[in-house]
Amino acid sequence: MADVTTGADADTLAELAKRRGFFFPANEAYGGASGFYTYGPEGAALKRNLEASWRERFVTREDNMEISSPTVTPEPVFEASGHLDGFDDMILECPECGANHRADHLVEDNTDIEEAESLGTERIAELIADHGIACPSCGTELADEPVEAFNLMFETTIGPGSSSPGYLRPETAQGIFVEFPRLAEYARNQLPFGVAQIGHGYRNEISPRRSLIRVREFTMAELEQFVDPESDEPPIERVEDVTLPLYSATAQEGEGSIERMTVIEALDRGVVESEWIAYYLAIAREWYEAVGVDMERFRYRQHLPDELSHYASDCWDAEAELDGNWIEITGFADRGAYDLSKHDDHSDEAFSVFRPYDEPKTVERPSVEPDMSYLGPEFGADAGDVAEELAALAERDPSAFDGDEVAVELDGEQYELPTEKTGFAVREETITGEHVTPHVIEPSFGIGRVLYTVLVHSYREDEVEGESRSYLALPSDLAPTFVGVFPLMDKDGLGEHAHEIAADLRAAGFTVNYDDSGNIGRRYRRQDEVGTPYCVTVDYESLDEGTATVRERDSTTQTRIAIDELPARLAALRAGESLVD
């Protein structure tokens, strides 16, 4: 075999993906719509296997729950979460051809700035003018055009008419947060606990591009880990020696480079501040490698201070190098108590859990019991509001009741009354615990982006017997098909025997592709291109001696195995055994 070339550029992968049925633009018979893709037979199978692998690692092995929430969400949920006000990208319209462009991408494509999203509309407009950036569609200069915020959510209505507005969810996370009170019950109100979800998200991208990298409908795999910030710690000892490729904010600001350090080193040096973030960076790094991401083209990049969302105390992106560009494939964020606190404020539910004390505590607690027979005649319709404000003032500032009179303010107007009429008192109370709003650690995976990365990183080219070939070095448990079954030729009973073997292997739990079209070399190449790890060829010796040729994809090594031993041997190969000792 000749030397192996690794990796595929965007054009090569797009051609392979369409030709072999991994993915292709949707609805092309009607002109299509950018940002929507159909996963073909090979791609759908690869995507299922990738999701199953994620579920096994982040749900099953971590003992987390999984839910499936609706993709259409009522408007009040996004009013509470802040998506209606702040889920925006920057848009710029060409005055000549009318094409809409994402303004920060124009800056990134035409300058040395790699991350322009956090710069704001005014700064982006200045950069477009300073660099004389023109419309990619028609060449018109865009220096004088306004850069505006564009909300990315798809709006719809729930039921007839427009009285109940809703949105296609832009992420799966809110479907978890909004159900927290019930999910906490299922977790017996015991922190920490995690809730995962794999599902579709929708974002009305201004300029979808780079194939599966930026689309309008996509699949997310998200985990929301709910923790008590004062007491919960992850099992960091399980991952303390895992090496992380970290591109910290300090390194970025000082033109530094990726540093490789263990989890413990990263925590001790303060490069990663949160043990929970470090824990998930570690188990995700091991998972990426297991599914075929090239660790030489992978890094964790920390968000710079001006990139951080207002609710996040720290955030790291898993990035893969694709065709010369670093692309985010996962975000890891410490969201604090932001999401649950917002829903607690906007809904009628309590988004907290009760944390019992080791021993009951006796505390002094101020309270008021206003004399309503005095407040009513004195303040009329405002009496109830005055009573509520007195209760709030007692909690906020008990010293306000030290004098003979106490004053409260309502809508800019001050109300005064004798302290004795407030019923103010400080009472001892025994409490057994307190309500805590959990903090949230969120790893959020873009399944389409991870799938695209795996395809790019697993692509290989070499020569076999003087002929060039391309193949996908996919892990065996990820490949769409595990074994191809061929008759050497479809005559003399070879085809019937191969069909029987294929059926037996399917019954044994293997994904099988039967192929009798073209010469045997062409059939091997077809299976190589879709990443099938093994092929079984039935020939005349199979009829005479009950053996078949088994070929391994990467090395093209072949050996003969007894047909009745095929299921057991293939199971061993799938578990990691070598074809030839």
Side-chain angles (χ1 to χ4, degrees), residues 61 96 114 163 176 294 336 442 446 462 466 480 574:
R61 288 175 58 183
E96 183 65 28
E114 293 184 5
S163 60
I176 297 174
D294 183 356
E442 179 190 72
D462 63 5
R574 186 165 59 184

Side-chain angles (χ1 to χ4, degrees), residues 66-71 169 175-176 179 183 195-200:
E66 182 179 1
I67 69 168
S68 179
S69 65
T71 58
R169 64 184 183 193
I176 297 174
E179 306 298 350
L183 295 170
V195 183
Q197 182 166 197
I198 301 176
H200 283 186

Side-chain angles (χ1 to χ4, degrees), residues 482-483 485 500-512 534 536 546-548 550 561-577 579:
F482 183 73
V483 59
V485 176
E500 292 174 1
I501 291 172
D504 289 343
L505 292 178
R506 291 190 186 101
F510 298 101
T511 51
V512 179
Y534 298 96
V536 174
T547 62
V550 178
I561 295 176
I563 291 172
D564 59 2
E565 295 178 4
L566 278 175
R569 285 297 305 275
L570 288 171
L573 292 171
R574 186 165 59 184
E577 186 178 292
L579 180 62

